[in-house]
Amino acid sequence: QVQLVESGGGLVQAGGSLRLSCVSSGSIRFKTMGWYRQAPAKQREWVASISSDGGTTYANSMKGRFTISRDNAKNTVYLQMNSLKPEDTAVYYCGQSGPTYSWGQGTQVTVSS
């Protein structure tokens, strides 16, 4: 099973931006990659996905604010988050498709009002 390591989280004021990164220990070239988040006392929710051919999909509340991208040469997927809101506060996880779905450990994003 691959290992995924997220980074880039932190504390930011409302309206600010963060860029999350997720590095895979294996090749992501033919994999669909996704970002998810889990806020305190809430279930994990899907944020965005990017297919192997670069097609992207987003949860409605993230459209226009978040951008998912990938660099296959670096086995890395990114999540650019703009216009952050306090309700975006959560632990953000990346996921990789495969025989079993792989998850990272997560990176904390905190947006202050």
Side-chain angles (χ1 to χ4, degrees):
Q1 190 168 354
V2 298
Q3 303 296 317
L4 302 172
V5 179
E6 302 96 334
S7 63
L11 174 64
V12 63
Q13 289 188 333
S17 298
L18 283 174
R19 188 194 194 203
L20 306 184
S21 300
C22 171
V23 180
S24 175
S25 63
S27 173
I28 68 168
R29 182 178 178 184
F30 299 109
K31 305 296 186 182
T32 294
M33 304 295 293
W35 283 97
Y36 299 76
R37 69 185 187 185
Q38 187 166 15
K42 292 188 176 181
Q43 290 189 331
R44 188 173 298 188
E45 65 173 341
W46 169 71
V47 172
S49 294
I50 184 166
S51 65
S52 58
D53 63 2
T56 58
T57 52
Y58 299 90
N60 286 337
S61 62
M62 288 69 164
K63 286 181 181 178
R65 299 191 301 125
F66 291 8
T67 303
I68 188 171
S69 61
R70 65 194 293 154
D71 185 338
N72 291 338
K74 296 182 179 179
N75 292 323
T76 301
V77 62
Y78 304 97
L79 185 68
Q80 177 68 43
M81 306 187 294
N82 299 327
S83 302
L84 283 163
K85 306 173 183 180
E87 51 264 44
D88 293 318
T89 295
V91 178
Y92 284 72
Y93 300 89
C94 72
Q96 178 173 327
S97 63
T100 58
Y101 203 79
S102 299
W103 297 98
Q105 295 293 319
T107 185
Q108 176 70 49
V109 171
T110 303
V111 185
S112 63
S113 57

